[in-house]
Amino acid sequence: MFGLSELAVILIVVIAVILAKKGPELARSAGKSARILKAEARAMKKEENEAAADTPPRIIPGETAVPGTGATAPGTERPSAPAPDRTGRTGGTPPQDSRP
């Protein structure tokens, strides 16, 4: 019967015949898909840049923004107050035990 090498050659010939018929069509559709993907990626990037340009810079309390740069000016940072915990206290001495 056939050996492994003969089957491999037959398989390669069959694949070549199929690709000769369907190859250009497959290449064309792959090219269209790539163009669509690139166009969508460019559109998303453009929308992202436009959205970033429309939003004002975020200013954190205790910082001074330099106009036009979105950065803080050197030496203008102020230490912020400690955040209150769940009881509303801002740190310092621990709560007193109210047990007798």
Side-chain angles (χ1 to χ4, degrees), residues 13-91:
V13 169
V14 168
I15 289 173
V17 169
I18 291 173
L19 281 179
K21 292 180 181 178
K22 297 285 184 176
E25 182 182 329
L26 291 173
R28 211 175 356 263
S29 66
K32 285 181 183 178
S33 298
R35 280 192 297 273
I36 290 170
L37 181 64
K38 282 173 124 177
E40 290 296 324
R42 273 191 232 117
M44 286 179 57
K45 193 171 186 180
K46 184 178 177 183
E47 286 176 8
E48 188 175 288
N49 288 340
E50 288 174 356
D54 292 342
T55 58
R58 187 179 72 158
I59 306 228
I60 300 171
E63 293 184 347
T64 305
V66 177
T69 62
T72 58
T76 59
E77 293 88 5
R78 293 180 291 177
S80 60
D85 62 2
R86 291 183 187 172
T87 61
R89 296 180 310 107
T90 59

